Amino acid sequence: MKMKLVVVSDSHGKANILEEIVERHPDAQAYLHCGDIEAPQEYYPEYTIVLGNNDIYYDYPEYRILNVGKHRIYMAHSHRFSYLHRGEQMAKTALENDCDI
């Protein structure tokens, strides 16, 4: 069974694009926002959101671990990792949390 996930980040308060994404992808099983949404969760109930470095006024978790089908997804905004070797650090953290995505 195929599953469609929509992953976005850094929308910085631009509501129109997030609404358009939901309209264009009504068949998605999940909408994941990886931080810097700069808006409260109640504005985007469709989205699962984590804290970005510009979300200082909102109470989002720093990271999430999601079970989706047979996969575990580690979801975070990249500011939690140093600039050098960021991708490797994120992959290592995912593996340390038994996540394969």
Side-chain angles (χ1 to χ4, degrees):
M1 174 176 127
K2 285 188 176 185
M3 184 173 289
K4 181 177 182 177
L5 305 177
V6 175
V7 181
V8 299
S9 181
D10 294 272
S11 56
H12 294 283
K14 294 185 174 104
N16 57 331
I17 190 67
L18 295 178
E19 293 163 359
E20 185 177 328
I21 288 168
V22 172
E23 289 172 11
R24 287 187 180 206
H25 301 280
D27 56 334
Q29 281 72 36
Y31 303 92
L32 310 179
H33 196 294
C34 295
D36 285 351
I37 194 168
E38 295 186 47
Q41 176 72 64
E42 55 266 17
Y43 288 11
Y44 304 102
E46 305 92 344
Y47 285 86
T48 299
I49 305 167
V50 294
L51 185 73
N53 56 309
N54 288 295
D55 293 321
I56 58 175
Y57 299 111
Y58 307 102
D59 187 28
Y60 294 117
E62 288 192 28
Y63 70 93
R64 291 180 188 260
I65 295 174
L66 308 172
N67 292 301
V68 179
K70 63 181 181 175
H71 298 283
R72 281 175 54 94
I73 300 172
Y74 179 82
M75 183 178 159
H77 192 69
S78 66
H79 80 286
R80 299 190 66 233
F81 302 91
S82 68
Y83 186 76
L84 294 174
H85 310 290
R86 184 174 281 167
E88 291 90 345
Q89 291 174 43
M90 292 176 78
K92 181 182 176 198
T93 302
L95 288 172
E96 289 170 351
N97 285 280
D98 296 319
C99 296
D100 59 330
I101 298 175

